[in-house]
Amino acid sequence: MQIPTIDTPRLRLRPLTVADTQAVHAYTGDAQVMTYVPPHQMTWEQTQTFVAAQHGADAQALAITLGTGSLIGHIICHPWVDRKSTRLNSS
């Protein structure tokens, strides 16, 4: 799926990049944060694999950044109905 960049007054949703790996692991590696988010707490290697998979036609995740550029989470995009629409789930 082609991942767009979406700007709002407070946030930017954009494709994840390998440069985001450390910031993603800051929350995916935290057991308390990931208590209710499958697959639950991730190891460094699992986070690297997750971020690396978010490129090209198989990408599903959008990074959520503040106006400052700080990454604060991600949203998973699921193809919906005609595959031209998307449903979002946040993490």
Side-chain angles (χ1 to χ4, degrees):
M1 154 185 345
Q2 180 65 30
I3 300 290
T5 295
I6 302 167
D7 288 305
T8 73
R10 292 184 327 120
L11 303 172
R12 168 175 270 190
L13 306 178
R14 61 163 177 77
L16 278 171
T17 68
V18 173
D20 294 320
T21 305
Q22 187 68 42
V24 171
H25 190 65
Y27 61 87
T28 62
D30 185 319
Q32 187 174 2
V33 170
M34 298 297 287
T35 298
Y36 303 106
V37 181
H40 307 297
Q41 182 180 14
M42 292 186 191
T43 65
W44 173 247
E45 291 77 17
Q46 289 170 319
T47 302
Q48 288 177 305
T49 300
F50 169 73
V51 173
Q54 303 311 314
H55 301 284
D58 294 331
Q60 293 184 324
L62 285 169
I64 305 170
T65 59
L66 295 172
T68 61
S70 299
L71 189 138
I72 60 169
H74 67 271
I75 291 180
I76 301 295
C77 302
H78 298 280
W80 190 251
V81 186
D82 60 6
R83 298 191 114 8
K84 292 181 183 175
S85 303
T86 300
R87 180 182 67 157
L88 301 176
N89 290 356
S90 63
S91 296

